[in-house]
PDB file of all heavy atoms in Angstrom:
ATOM      1  N   VAL T 442      -7.334   9.220  21.419  1.00 96.00           N
ATOM      2  CA  VAL T 442      -6.663   9.405  22.707  1.00 96.00           C
ATOM      3  C   VAL T 442      -6.483  10.894  22.994  1.00 96.00           C
ATOM      4  O   VAL T 442      -6.703  11.364  24.113  1.00 96.00           O
ATOM      5  CB  VAL T 442      -5.302   8.676  22.737  1.00 96.00           C
ATOM      6  CG1 VAL T 442      -4.611   8.880  24.068  1.00 96.00           C
ATOM      7  CG2 VAL T 442      -5.480   7.195  22.454  1.00 96.00           C
ATOM      8  N   VAL T 443      -6.100  11.649  21.954  1.00 96.00           N
ATOM      9  CA  VAL T 443      -5.903  13.089  22.127  1.00 96.00           C
ATOM     10  C   VAL T 443      -7.222  13.755  22.526  1.00 96.00           C
ATOM     11  O   VAL T 443      -7.245  14.638  23.389  1.00 96.00           O
ATOM     12  CB  VAL T 443      -5.364  13.725  20.830  1.00 96.00           C
ATOM     13  CG1 VAL T 443      -5.385  15.243  20.926  1.00 96.00           C
ATOM     14  CG2 VAL T 443      -3.952  13.243  20.565  1.00 96.00           C
ATOM     15  N   ILE T 444      -8.300  13.345  21.912  1.00 97.00           N
ATOM     16  CA  ILE T 444      -9.601  13.937  22.219  1.00 97.00           C
ATOM     17  C   ILE T 444      -9.901  13.788  23.709  1.00 97.00           C
ATOM     18  O   ILE T 444     -10.186  14.757  24.416  1.00 97.00           O
ATOM     19  CB  ILE T 444     -10.714  13.280  21.376  1.00 97.00           C
ATOM     20  CG1 ILE T 444     -10.619  13.775  19.939  1.00 97.00           C
ATOM     21  CG2 ILE T 444     -12.082  13.579  21.963  1.00 97.00           C
ATOM     22  CD1 ILE T 444     -11.569  13.081  18.978  1.00 97.00           C
ATOM     23  N   VAL T 445      -9.794  12.569  24.196  1.00 96.00           N
ATOM     24  CA  VAL T 445     -10.153  12.317  25.590  1.00 96.00           C
ATOM     25  C   VAL T 445      -9.196  13.031  26.531  1.00 96.00           C
ATOM     26  O   VAL T 445      -9.613  13.676  27.498  1.00 96.00           O
ATOM     27  CB  VAL T 445     -10.167  10.791  25.857  1.00 96.00           C
ATOM     28  CG1 VAL T 445     -10.396  10.525  27.324  1.00 96.00           C
ATOM     29  CG2 VAL T 445     -11.236  10.130  25.009  1.00 96.00           C
ATOM     30  N   SER T 446      -7.898  12.980  26.228  1.00 95.00           N
ATOM     31  CA  SER T 446      -6.946  13.583  27.154  1.00 95.00           C
ATOM     32  C   SER T 446      -7.068  15.108  27.138  1.00 95.00           C
ATOM     33  O   SER T 446      -6.963  15.761  28.171  1.00 95.00           O
ATOM     34  CB  SER T 446      -5.516  13.128  26.840  1.00 95.00           C
ATOM     35  OG  SER T 446      -4.990  13.879  25.780  1.00 95.00           O
ATOM     36  N   THR T 447      -7.321  15.690  25.955  1.00 96.00           N
ATOM     37  CA  THR T 447      -7.433  17.148  25.888  1.00 96.00           C
ATOM     38  C   THR T 447      -8.673  17.642  26.620  1.00 96.00           C
ATOM     39  O   THR T 447      -8.598  18.585  27.415  1.00 96.00           O
ATOM     40  CB  THR T 447      -7.475  17.618  24.418  1.00 96.00           C
ATOM     41  OG1 THR T 447      -6.332  17.114  23.735  1.00 96.00           O
ATOM     42  CG2 THR T 447      -7.493  19.129  24.338  1.00 96.00           C
ATOM     43  N   VAL T 448      -9.799  16.987  26.375  1.00 96.00           N
ATOM     44  CA  VAL T 448     -11.036  17.433  27.026  1.00 96.00           C
ATOM     45  C   VAL T 448     -10.875  17.388  28.543  1.00 96.00           C
ATOM     46  O   VAL T 448     -11.342  18.279  29.260  1.00 96.00           O
ATOM     47  CB  VAL T 448     -12.226  16.564  26.566  1.00 96.00           C
ATOM     48  CG1 VAL T 448     -13.444  16.808  27.440  1.00 96.00           C
ATOM     49  CG2 VAL T 448     -12.551  16.845  25.106  1.00 96.00           C
ATOM     50  N   SER T 449     -10.159  16.388  29.032  1.00 94.00           N
ATOM     51  CA  SER T 449     -10.023  16.337  30.488  1.00 94.00           C
ATOM     52  C   SER T 449      -8.971  17.332  30.976  1.00 94.00           C
ATOM     53  O   SER T 449      -9.107  17.912  32.042  1.00 94.00           O
ATOM     54  CB  SER T 449      -9.717  14.898  30.926  1.00 94.00           C
ATOM     55  OG  SER T 449      -8.347  14.717  31.108  1.00 94.00           O
ATOM     56  N   LEU T 450      -7.953  17.608  30.171  1.00 94.00           N
ATOM     57  CA  LEU T 450      -6.905  18.546  30.583  1.00 94.00           C
ATOM     58  C   LEU T 450      -7.378  19.999  30.620  1.00 94.00           C
ATOM     59  O   LEU T 450      -6.840  20.813  31.370  1.00 94.00           O
ATOM     60  CB  LEU T 450      -5.702  18.443  29.653  1.00 94.00           C
ATOM     61  CG  LEU T 450      -4.490  17.668  30.166  1.00 94.00           C
ATOM     62  CD1 LEU T 450      -3.417  17.603  29.085  1.00 94.00           C
ATOM     63  CD2 LEU T 450      -3.927  18.322  31.423  1.00 94.00           C
ATOM     64  N   VAL T 451      -8.376  20.307  29.788  1.00 94.00           N
ATOM     65  CA  VAL T 451      -8.879  21.687  29.751  1.00 94.00           C
ATOM     66  C   VAL T 451      -9.255  22.161  31.151  1.00 94.00           C
ATOM     67  O   VAL T 451      -9.066  23.332  31.505  1.00 94.00           O
ATOM     68  CB  VAL T 451     -10.103  21.791  28.809  1.00 94.00           C
ATOM     69  CG1 VAL T 451     -10.830  23.114  29.008  1.00 94.00           C
ATOM     70  CG2 VAL T 451      -9.676  21.632  27.362  1.00 94.00           C
ATOM     71  N   THR T 452      -9.731  21.225  31.959  1.00 93.00           N
ATOM     72  CA  THR T 452     -10.216  21.603  33.298  1.00 93.00           C
ATOM     73  C   THR T 452      -9.117  22.232  34.145  1.00 93.00           C
ATOM     74  O   THR T 452      -9.393  23.054  35.009  1.00 93.00           O
ATOM     75  CB  THR T 452     -10.758  20.367  34.037  1.00 93.00           C
ATOM     76  OG1 THR T 452      -9.733  19.369  34.078  1.00 93.00           O
ATOM     77  CG2 THR T 452     -11.973  19.807  33.334  1.00 93.00           C
ATOM     78  N   VAL T 453      -7.849  21.866  33.875  1.00 92.00           N
ATOM     79  CA  VAL T 453      -6.742  22.414  34.665  1.00 92.00           C
ATOM     80  C   VAL T 453      -6.690  23.932  34.551  1.00 92.00           C
ATOM     81  O   VAL T 453      -6.306  24.637  35.485  1.00 92.00           O
ATOM     82  CB  VAL T 453      -5.396  21.798  34.203  1.00 92.00           C
ATOM     83  CG1 VAL T 453      -4.234  22.465  34.897  1.00 92.00           C
ATOM     84  CG2 VAL T 453      -5.395  20.307  34.473  1.00 92.00           C
ATOM     85  N   GLY T 454      -7.119  24.445  33.389  1.00 91.00           N
ATOM     86  CA  GLY T 454      -7.108  25.883  33.174  1.00 91.00           C
ATOM     87  C   GLY T 454      -7.860  26.651  34.250  1.00 91.00           C
ATOM     88  O   GLY T 454      -7.548  27.817  34.536  1.00 91.00           O
ATOM     89  N   ALA T 455      -8.843  25.993  34.837  1.00 91.00           N
ATOM     90  CA  ALA T 455      -9.649  26.670  35.850  1.00 91.00           C
ATOM     91  C   ALA T 455      -8.792  27.151  37.014  1.00 91.00           C
ATOM     92  O   ALA T 455      -9.076  28.185  37.638  1.00 91.00           O
ATOM     93  CB  ALA T 455     -10.744  25.721  36.346  1.00 91.00           C
ATOM     94  N   VAL T 456      -7.725  26.431  37.287  1.00 89.00           N
ATOM     95  CA  VAL T 456      -6.863  26.778  38.419  1.00 89.00           C
ATOM     96  C   VAL T 456      -6.214  28.145  38.221  1.00 89.00           C
ATOM     97  O   VAL T 456      -6.025  28.906  39.164  1.00 89.00           O
ATOM     98  CB  VAL T 456      -5.788  25.685  38.627  1.00 89.00           C
ATOM     99  CG1 VAL T 456      -4.865  26.052  39.777  1.00 89.00           C
ATOM    100  CG2 VAL T 456      -6.450  24.352  38.876  1.00 89.00           C
TER     101      VAL T 456
END
Side-chain angles (χ1 to χ4, degrees):
Chain T
V442 180
V443 170
I444 286 174
V445 174
S446 81
T447 305
V448 168
S449 97
L450 258 177
V451 167
T452 56
V453 174
V456 179

